[in-house]
Amino acid sequence: MKIVFRENGSIGVETNGKYVLRVGETETVIEKPKFSLCRCGHSKNLPFCDSSHKEFGFIAPAAEIELE
Ligand code: FES
């Protein structure tokens, strides 16, 4: 699994092909190899990024984490 902190943007997560989303007591298995999480706090679709960070001029450095 890889986590990519995009410069001035979201947190990209590369999965093994699917992930489980838990919101309250609801659990959904989503088959998708990649998704983007908000780290600016302005998304209207939290926890996911909706590109609002561009509108708010979010600034943050790039980084990458790889989990083995
Ligand atoms: S990082 Fe994209 S909307 Fe927050």
Side-chain angles (χ1 to χ4, degrees), residues 8-11 37-44 46 48-54 58:
N8 306 329
S10 64
I11 301 168
L37 297 172
C38 175
R39 71 169 166 158
C40 75
H42 293 289
S43 174
K44 294 169 191 69
L46 290 170
F48 300 102
C49 171
D50 70 354
S51 296
S52 292
H53 58 269
K54 295 175 188 171
F58 180 66

Side-chain angles (χ1 to χ4, degrees), residues 2-48:
K2 193 166 157 182
I3 302 169
V4 180
F5 296 80
R6 299 186 179 103
E7 184 175 10
N8 306 329
S10 64
I11 301 168
V13 181
E14 295 178 15
T15 73
N16 62 357
K18 64 181 178 181
Y19 62 95
V20 178
L21 174 64
R22 291 187 189 97
V23 179
E25 294 185 19
T26 304
E27 187 174 291
T28 309
V29 176
I30 300 174
E31 298 211 15
K32 204 171 179 186
K34 294 180 181 179
F35 61 92
S36 296
L37 297 172
C38 175
R39 71 169 166 158
C40 75
H42 293 289
S43 174
K44 294 169 191 69
N45 188 35
L46 290 170
F48 300 102

